[in-house]
Amino acid sequence: MRRRPGIGGLQNAAAARDQYRMLGENVAKIRTDMMKEQLATFRSQLEEFARKHKNDIRKNPAFRSQFHEMCAKVGVDPLASNKGFWAELLGIGDFYYELGVQIVDICLATRPHNGGLINLQELCNLLRQRRKSDREAVSEDDCLRAISKLKAQGFVTVDEVERRLSWTSGRAIDALDTLLDEGLAMIDDGHKDGRRRYWFPCVSSISTSVADT
Amino acid sequence: MQKLGDFKLPHFFNYPPYFTLQPVRDTREKQVQLWKELILDYCRTQKIFVIGLEEDFPLFSNAVIERSLTHEAREAFLSALVSEAGRAEWLDKGHRKCLILWHRIQDWADIILHFVKDNGLEDSVITVEEMRSGIECRGTELHGIDRTILMRALKLLEQKGKLAIFKGTSADDEGVKFSM
């Protein structure tokens, strides 16, 4: 645009800037709308993919890891909740939950030897040994996901432990009280539903030391 | 960080288990220590001298996480403060009201001495009421001090011969003559 001297010139320049800005905003809006539509399409295709490959996702750790990455790219977290489409379709919420409990168990057992810091590889080896007879194979990626899921919620109730691990009430309470005595858990009796909750402030330190390997 | 007015609340205040008295000894000790510090800090900054256990003291509940301290927990934390010599006292046998000494009585006595020197009152007389609400005390720590605490500090100084307390015609006229 050719510059013109004087006030007229300034006003023209300002008007031109405004028009460019409006044009830019419109372009941005169109791009956003297009992206939203693309994401919606991608999400439904992702769900279709998950349906088709349910078994592979469950059985194959490498495949499972790549699937998680794909989900993350579009802002889908299959582990975000134990209800709804993803949890029902894949049923993998419980898998990670159980993994999380086993990891806490292993960390507790090895604490006298390693002072509370455990190498991720070693943790996975110990985990695989424990689960030798079990169905699904476990990778380091699975460990990290289980830990971050534990961290997200932060607490459990006795009912939940019983239900998810198929333990008796006595066994669940014993396990939780052991963690309590070790200083790894704290009780919370203040919820209005009257159910005692066991919180795990230690989980954040587990995830930090594991992540640092 | 959550705030109560201007006061910055510590992280533990938002963690639900801290509102339940912990049964495990080491965990309980840590919990009590955190609550003692919080109570003292809060009372110091807000100039609160008395806590009523059955009243709506802001620290006793956290609406954001929907938790409140039980009466038992409140009493446990305040009792711990009382056990720390000179930090707090129960005002009644039923443990319903607690006097909080975020400045110990000795500290208050020192503050009074500074106040006397700063205002050139060494040979003067002043009423107890003026000491806590008169013009000279504005902007000083003595402004708004709890009367019970003030009397205790004055009595301590009287024992040391720094002043004499005398009664006027009514409780409002209680006065102090300094001899420093």
Side-chain angles (χ1 to χ4, degrees), chain A residues 180 186-189 192 201, chain B residues 15 17 20 22-24 66-67:
Chain A
L180 196 65
M186 293 176 75
I187 53 164
D188 167 27
D189 290 333
K192 55 186 168 211
Chain B
Y15 200 58
T20 300
Q22 294 301 308
V24 173
E66 292 180 311
R67 294 291 186 275

Side-chain angles (χ1 to χ4, degrees), chain B residues 32-159:
Chain B
V32 168
Q33 186 57 35
L34 287 169
W35 274 102
K36 273 166 59 179
E37 282 167 15
L38 172 59
I39 291 168
L40 276 178
D41 279 341
Y42 184 75
C43 289
R44 180 184 299 119
T45 57
Q46 310 301 308
K47 283 201 138 180
I48 291 170
F49 299 94
V50 177
I51 295 178
L53 260 74
E54 275 141 28
E55 284 152 34
D56 275 332
F57 186 57
L59 292 184
F60 287 163
S61 41
N62 184 343
V64 173
I65 57 169
E66 292 180 311
R67 294 291 186 275
S68 277
L69 289 176
T70 58
H71 186 94
E72 195 196 347
R74 300 173 189 196
E75 201 184 332
F77 301 146
L78 288 171
S79 290
L81 257 183
V82 170
S83 298
E84 205 182 310
R87 269 298 177 214
E89 288 173 14
W90 290 112
L91 288 174
D92 62 314
K93 281 215 170 87
H95 290 192
R96 280 190 304 260
K97 285 200 187 295
C98 192
L99 189 71
I100 309 294
L101 297 165
W102 36 270
H103 277 324
R104 294 171 197 277
I105 300 292
Q106 180 57 60
D107 299 330
W108 284 114
D110 291 337
I111 288 169
I112 291 170
L113 291 179
H114 282 299
F115 170 75
V116 169
K117 287 187 184 132
D118 289 347
N119 289 282
L121 295 168
E122 284 89 338
D123 295 309
S124 307
V125 171
I126 187 176
T127 66
V128 169
E129 198 49 41
E130 274 176 323
M131 281 188 76
R132 56 185 295 268
S133 61
I135 295 188
E136 296 96 342
C137 77
R138 302 269 167 86
T140 74
E141 296 218 64
L142 287 179
H143 185 61
I145 184 181
D146 177 89
R147 215 168 191 284
T148 311
I149 294 178
L150 181 55
M151 289 311 299
R152 294 270 296 275
L154 289 172
K155 287 197 177 123
L156 183 64
L157 289 170
E158 190 178 44
Q159 280 163 15

Side-chain angles (χ1 to χ4, degrees), chain A residues 46-47 49-51 53 57 61-73 76 78 86 89-90 92 145:
Chain A
L46 189 61
E47 285 169 13
F49 179 91
R51 255 187 222 102
H53 299 275
I57 292 169
F63 193 87
R64 182 162 61 235
S65 171
Q66 294 198 316
F67 172 71
H68 276 297
E69 248 185 69
M70 246 187 354
C71 288
K73 281 201 170 106
V76 168
W86 289 103
L89 175 72
L90 300 174
I92 55 177
R145 279 183 207 281

